């Protein structure tokens, strides 16, 4: 087994003395892996010890690499699931405006106009649904849960059974996969 010279690389005048000191320090080098001193190990035992150490390093490196692969594939799947999130969040106000416009157009007497805009509205909604957008359905009378809705105000409950419950839904909420990207805005009774 080779012992590193602790004086290597130092600028000294007498290199022979440094080598001699290093040889004197060599017996002081402690035992390897809790076994006999390095001098007492045979060459075969030393090789077996080195092989065991290298196998251990290999197994640890292999396990670390496997964990890395699993982690990156999981992150990649999450990225694919939410890659459209920014675009969908930007389109939500357009969808809200379209819903309000549909309510007004429904009052029109022109059947062809109503039918045409209705087709476009449905196509737009189905395209968003195909990209993973889902509406969070809440209605008046549902119990209020802060994890799934945002209370913008409280009003006196019109009836006793609406206390602590949703009185009105002001803005629809949407989720992308399992993640809510916009919470529904509601009014709750007190």
């Amino acid at each position: 087994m080779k012992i590193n010279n602790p004086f290597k690389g130092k600028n000294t005048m007498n290199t022979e003395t440094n080598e001699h000191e290093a040889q004197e320090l060599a017996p002081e080098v402690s035992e390897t892996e809790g076994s006999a001193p390095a001098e007492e190990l045979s060459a075969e035992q030393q090789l077996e010890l080195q092989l065991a150490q290298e196998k251990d390093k290999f197994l640890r490196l292999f396990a670390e690499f496997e964990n890395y692969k699993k982690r990156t594939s999981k992150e990649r799947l999450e990225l694919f699931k939410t890659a459209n999130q920014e675009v969908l969040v930007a389109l939500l106000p357009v969808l809200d405006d379209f819903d309000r416009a549909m309510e007004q157009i429904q009052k029109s007497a022109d059947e062809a106009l109503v039918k045409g805009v209705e087709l476009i509205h449905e196509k737009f909604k189905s395209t968003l649904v195909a990209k993973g957008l889902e509406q969070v359905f809440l209605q008046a009378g549902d119990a209020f849960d802060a994890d799934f809705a945002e209370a913008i105000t409280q009003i006196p409950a019109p009836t006793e059974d609406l206390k602590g419950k949703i009185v009105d839904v002001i803005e629809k909420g949407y989720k992308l996969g399992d993640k809510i990207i916009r919470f529904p805005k509601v009014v709750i009774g007190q």
Side-chain angles (χ1 to χ4, degrees):
M1 181 169 174
K2 183 177 180 182
I3 308 243
N4 290 335
N5 185 351
F7 303 104
K8 186 175 182 179
K10 303 225 182 207
N11 292 333
T12 58
M13 297 293 285
N14 190 353
T15 58
E16 290 177 12
T17 308
N18 288 340
E19 289 175 6
H20 185 271
E21 289 173 2
Q23 289 175 354
E24 288 178 1
L25 289 175
E28 293 178 13
V29 174
S30 68
E31 305 167 3
T32 58
E33 298 291 321
S35 61
E39 299 168 350
E40 295 179 14
L41 292 177
S42 69
E44 185 177 319
Q45 290 173 332
Q46 288 177 357
L47 288 175
E48 286 177 4
L49 181 64
Q50 287 177 348
L51 179 62
Q53 289 173 348
E54 293 301 319
K55 279 184 181 179
D56 184 54
K57 283 182 188 178
F58 172 75
L59 289 175
R60 290 178 188 273
L61 185 61
F62 184 75
E64 187 176 324
F65 181 67
E66 286 297 315
N67 290 338
Y68 168 77
K69 283 189 344 186
K70 288 177 186 175
R71 185 176 62 248
T72 55
S73 66
K74 184 177 179 182
E75 289 171 356
R76 189 177 308 130
L77 285 175
E78 283 296 317
L79 181 64
F80 287 143
K81 285 181 183 177
T82 59
N84 298 331
Q85 182 174 344
E86 287 183 36
V87 174
L88 292 175
V89 168
L91 287 175
L92 290 179
V94 176
L95 182 60
D96 292 337
D97 292 341
F98 212 150
D99 289 340
R100 285 188 284 275
M102 278 304 298
E103 289 176 15
Q104 295 303 314
I105 291 174
Q106 294 287 347
K107 298 174 186 176
S108 173
D110 189 358
E111 292 283 329
L113 173 68
V114 172
K115 190 70 170 168
V117 175
E118 204 172 75
L119 287 172
I120 296 168
H121 184 250
E122 288 303 315
K123 187 174 186 178
F124 183 55
K125 286 174 68 175
S126 66
T127 302
L128 293 177
V129 167
K131 296 298 178 187
L133 187 70
E134 296 177 45
Q135 183 177 345
V136 176
F137 289 102
L138 289 177
Q139 59 186 9
D142 289 347
F144 175 71
D145 186 357
D147 292 333
F148 298 104
E150 179 181 340
I152 57 172
T153 189
Q154 290 184 347
I155 62 170
T159 61
E160 196 64 32
D161 61 328
L162 286 179
K163 283 190 176 182
K165 294 188 177 181
I166 297 171
V167 175
D168 191 19
V169 178
I170 304 299
E171 187 177 66
K172 294 177 186 176
Y174 293 95
K175 62 182 182 174
L176 181 61
D178 293 334
K179 182 181 178 187
I180 296 179
I181 59 174
R182 185 174 83 181
F183 289 90
K185 292 181 175 46
V186 298
V187 175
I188 57 174
Q190 62 178 5

